[in-house]
Amino acid sequence: MNVRIVALLAALVPFFAVQLTYVVAASHGLVEWCNPYLDSCTSISATGRKPPASYLFRATMLPAAVILMAYWWLNHAWLASLHRHRGTPGLINLLMLALGLLACMGLVLYVTVLGERGDAWRTQRRVGTVLFFSFTYLAQLLMLAQLRILQPAGLKPGLLSLMWAVCGTLLLLGVLTVGLDAWDEAYYESVEDAFEWSLSLLLQANFLLGYFVWRQTGWQLEVRGT
């Protein structure tokens, strides 16, 4: 069974969901027209906070969370088969799956209360955001570590290097945000939204590269009856 479409959807659905939500929000005067990746004029949250943009955001991002869950489960199933074939322990694979699924749950927590007022909802959004970004990043690192160890047939080193480069850039941006916040909080607040958009884009880029990993290795899901 060819399941590569799952990896492709994991990359494209969240990306287009955010872009389309921004267009809807801007066209209704809810946020400014700008290039949020450069101008830092609005946050991702602000684009999906009020109707009608909020309807589109929830209708696309909740299914996206389910797709991402499927992506991590399928990666786990694939890498587990490689671990069994090589006779290597699969604990790192289980940890990748756990972090990936927790990241998706964080996305659900965030999306379901976006736009709600109150300290409790604000805390839930913050927790959801931290879970999604940090655990997705860690799960991607664990996936890359396993690919480096297992060396699946057909996987080109250049693609793996590109994925490492994306993860390295994510780490660099993360460290930069912490440094800017500590150095000049007022300036950091003026560029914080642009960092958020860029970090989100890079995370989705690694999901897209994950699709090409599956494609190069020719991996397919085999369902066997009992």
Side-chain angles (χ1 to χ4, degrees):
M1 181 187 301
N2 189 340
V3 293
R4 289 196 293 267
I5 186 64
V6 174
L8 192 59
L9 290 174
L12 297 183
V13 171
F15 173 77
F16 283 109
V18 171
Q19 313 311 311
L20 291 174
T21 300
Y22 167 73
V23 170
V24 172
S27 64
H28 284 80
L30 302 176
V31 297
E32 299 178 43
W33 282 110
C34 63
N35 183 343
Y37 294 96
L38 298 177
D39 299 332
S40 194
C41 55
T42 185
S43 66
I44 294 176
S45 297
T47 65
R49 190 170 291 144
K50 297 180 181 180
S54 60
Y55 303 143
L56 175 62
F57 192 74
R58 288 192 177 96
T60 51
M61 292 304 291
L62 289 175
V66 176
I67 293 170
L68 290 170
M69 288 180 186
Y71 172 82
W72 289 118
W73 182 84
L74 289 168
N75 264 316
H76 171 263
W78 173 46
L79 294 172
S81 68
L82 295 179
H83 279 294
R84 287 193 297 269
H85 181 72
R86 299 290 178 88
T88 53
L91 291 178
I92 189 174
N93 195 31
L94 286 173
L95 181 58
M96 179 201 73
L97 177 63
L99 290 174
L101 294 180
L102 284 172
C104 297
M105 291 305 300
L107 181 58
V108 172
L109 287 174
Y110 163 76
V111 172
T112 52
V113 299
L114 184 60
E116 300 295 332
R117 296 182 179 180
D119 292 339
W121 302 127
R122 189 178 301 108
T123 300
Q124 182 172 323
R125 287 195 300 273
R126 187 177 297 113
V127 170
T129 301
V130 171
L131 283 176
F132 177 69
F133 279 96
S134 60
F135 283 8
T136 295
Y137 177 71
L138 291 174
Q140 289 179 347
L141 282 180
L142 292 177
M143 177 183 171
L144 283 171
Q146 292 179 87
L147 291 174
R148 183 176 182 180
I149 294 169
L150 297 170
Q151 293 293 318
L155 180 60
K156 297 179 180 179
L159 180 57
L160 202 57
S161 298
L162 184 56
M163 296 180 76
W164 280 115
V166 171
C167 283
T169 305
L170 278 165
L171 179 60
L172 180 62
L173 287 178
V175 172
L176 183 58
T177 59
V178 174
L180 282 176
D181 191 19
W183 174 60
D184 190 335
E185 184 177 356
Y187 175 72
Y188 172 69
E189 289 179 354
S190 70
V191 297
E192 180 180 7
D193 293 335
F195 276 108
E196 180 188 62
W197 284 85
S198 299
L199 289 170
S200 177
L201 181 64
L202 287 169
L203 282 180
Q204 298 312 311
N206 249 348
F207 285 120
L208 182 61
L209 293 174
Y211 160 77
F212 288 107
V213 167
W214 289 7
R215 183 175 177 178
Q216 284 188 1
T217 58
W219 177 71
Q220 296 189 21
L221 180 66
E222 182 178 347
V223 180
R224 296 180 179 180
T226 57

